[in-house]
Amino acid sequence: MTTMESPAEHASAAASGASATERFHADKSPFEAVKDTPPERVDMLAREVLDAVHATIRKHKVSYDEYNALKAWLINVGQDGEWPLFLDVWVEHVVEEVATDHRQGNKGSIEGPYYVPDSPELGAVGTMPMRENEAGTPLVWDGRITSTDGKPLAGKIELWHADADGFYSQFAPGLPEWNLRGSFSTGADGNFQITTIRPAPYQIPTDGSCGKLIAAAGWHAWRPAHLHVKVSAPGHESLTAQLYFPGDPHNADDIASAVKPELMLDPQPRPDGSEAMTYYFVLDPVGA
Ligand code: MBD
Ligand code: FE
């Protein structure tokens, strides 16, 4: 036994929620991007959301006790820092669907709360930062970035994923800062080869407010195992996606509703115990 803290013992909803909330504020200036939104649109969106809430209350005769429980729960979501988790799990998938509806190239999926920019640059062929003896089946992934017309693209893949215990670096304690986070840049041939390990299925924190809703509603908290990517190339729309593994019991009932058939991988076992796979990305030219 070592005395090093294991994330499993010390990970908490409040700690990962606080990190995700802090990360969101550090990366984005969300109000700047919508500062020219006309009041008519704000009025319409706010009114229709409130109308839907009112209709639900009337339809189901929501009581004062239920209203007060909701009020307390919403306050707690903020205190736990779980707004990024709540929104990305239960809302973002529809925003992503609307935003990428026009694309001819690769299907996308939600970003989720655990992206961190500026991960270590590893070239076109490289191994993800990981601990010595990192647990999990080694994965060797050959791929290419092309445009919708088939032309290879010099671009960049940012990859981040959970470890074999389902923990993300920078959001669970005890992990090296950039563990299983890396950036890969392709040359003009668009080709890359990434070595990493298979992540575990991910259970969203059960000890915070999102977990409380899940338990109270009798839902489960699982996302299937997944790799997160952001793929970009000059003159092309950048792609945010997740890739999934066949046979995962939660591919069909992802709590975040973020699985699409086009995002399924096909890893093949190799004699040395690792797995090999290919997955190609197709990006849409800007303004196409
Ligand atoms: C995750 O790892 C994730 O990808 C999403 C969308 C929500 C919670 C945790
Ligand atoms: Fe994830």
Side-chain angles (χ1 to χ4, degrees):
M1 284 294 289
T2 70
T3 54
M4 193 167 155
E5 290 189 17
S6 99
E9 284 161 37
H10 297 278
S12 73
S16 65
S19 301
T21 298
E22 196 184 312
R23 180 81 259 156
F24 182 77
H25 284 308
D27 287 353
K28 319 213 172 167
S29 45
F31 300 121
E32 190 58 27
V34 296
K35 68 181 190 323
D36 297 326
T37 304
E40 293 74 22
R41 182 165 171 86
V42 180
D43 168 59
M44 174 183 68
L45 296 179
R47 202 156 28 77
E48 289 192 21
V49 168
L50 290 169
D51 284 349
V53 172
H54 303 158
T56 303
I57 295 167
R58 288 197 183 97
K59 179 174 173 191
H60 300 289
K61 301 198 185 309
V62 169
S63 70
Y64 256 100
D65 285 343
E66 289 170 329
Y67 171 69
N68 284 328
L70 172 67
K71 203 163 162 180
W73 181 81
L74 289 169
I75 292 166
N76 289 342
V77 173
Q79 286 175 344
D80 291 343
E82 282 202 327
W83 280 116
L85 182 65
F86 174 84
L87 288 164
D88 295 350
V89 166
W90 285 298
V91 181
E92 187 187 356
H93 68 98
V94 188
V95 180
E96 192 278 330
E97 175 191 311
V98 169
T100 63
D101 195 36
H102 61 285
R103 289 192 186 173
Q104 305 293 308
N106 216 99
K107 288 283 180 204
S109 189
I110 64 177
E111 178 175 315
Y114 300 146
Y115 169 68
V116 182
D118 305 318
S119 60
E121 175 58 59
L122 300 160
V125 176
T127 299
M128 287 281 268
M130 62 177 81
R131 293 162 287 184
E132 236 180 281
N133 305 316
E134 184 77 39
T137 305
L139 271 182
V140 181
W141 170 10
D142 281 286
R144 182 179 303 144
I145 311 176
T146 67
S147 188
T148 45
D149 66 3
K151 266 215 319 269
L153 294 171
K156 177 167 141 173
I157 298 150
E158 294 172 87
L159 174 64
W160 72 103
H161 63 83
D163 67 15
D165 293 318
F167 291 107
Y168 284 87
S169 60
Q170 303 189 37
F171 298 90
L175 296 169
E177 185 177 20
W178 295 103
N179 210 55
L180 302 175
R181 295 177 181 275
S183 297
F184 300 84
S185 294
T186 63
D189 63 3
N191 291 330
F192 62 88
Q193 184 185 68
I194 298 172
T195 301
T196 188
I197 56 103
R198 243 199 211 236
Y202 177 85
Q203 187 173 31
I204 75 166
T206 52
D207 63 318
S209 297
C210 292
K212 204 162 183 173
L213 170 62
I214 287 167
W219 301 340
H220 72 76
W222 290 96
R223 298 216 58 222
H226 56 279
L227 303 175
H228 290 270
V229 289
K230 275 184 186 284
V231 186
S232 54
H236 289 72
E237 291 188 36
S238 52
L239 167 75
T240 300
Q242 299 185 33
L243 302 172
Y244 302 93
F245 298 87
D248 190 298
H250 295 294
N251 283 336
D253 66 354
D254 177 11
I255 185 73
S257 311
V259 181
K260 300 177 186 180
E262 298 87 349
L263 301 174
M264 212 46 75
L265 295 163
D266 186 20
Q268 300 297 324
R270 302 198 300 187
D272 67 355
S274 66
E275 293 176 317
M277 62 186 199
T278 56
Y279 192 91
Y280 291 10
F281 293 111
V282 181
L283 302 185
D284 284 65
V286 169

